[in-house]
């Protein structure tokens, strides 16, 4: 339980309250902690490349409409 932060700069990214079980080996979240927690750019249809909103460290992807509920995204 707690806050997940960027490994490079310590910027707050996600809350454990937004974490859920997913088949991927990485932690999955439904939302970011703050509006400026991450930066996003289109990588391909249905997937955005996600980086730290403060330092730009690569964090993975946001998969659109792949969350635990219909219409939710998965980080």
């Amino acid at each position: 339980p707690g806050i997940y932060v960027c490994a490079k700069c310590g910027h707050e990214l996600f809350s454990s309250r937004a974490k859920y079980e997913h088949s991927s080996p990485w932690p999955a979240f439904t939302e970011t902690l703050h509006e400026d927690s991450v930066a996003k750019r289109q990588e391909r249809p249905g997937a955005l490349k996600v980086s730290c909103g403060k330092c730009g460290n690569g964090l993975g992807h946001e998969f659109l409409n792949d969350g635990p509920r219909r219409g939710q995204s998965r980080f």
Side-chain angles (χ1 to χ4, degrees):
I3 304 298
Y4 289 76
V5 300
C6 175
K8 188 172 181 181
C9 74
H11 188 58
E12 293 183 337
L13 304 171
F14 305 99
S15 167
S16 60
R17 292 176 296 202
K19 186 177 177 183
Y20 70 99
E21 290 297 321
H22 187 268
S23 61
S24 73
W26 298 279
F29 302 91
T30 56
E31 61 188 6
T32 60
L33 190 60
H34 305 291
E35 283 287 319
D36 67 346
S37 290
V38 301
K40 307 173 191 180
R41 70 175 171 78
Q42 184 78 36
E43 185 172 77
R44 62 182 186 267
L48 306 174
K49 188 74 172 167
V50 177
S51 58
C52 174
K54 184 175 181 182
C55 74
N57 187 35
L59 302 173
H61 295 86
E62 176 182 2
F63 297 100
L64 307 177
N65 300 311
D66 190 39
R69 292 190 204 116
R70 186 180 177 104
Q72 253 182 340
S73 291
R74 171 176 57 94
F75 289 88

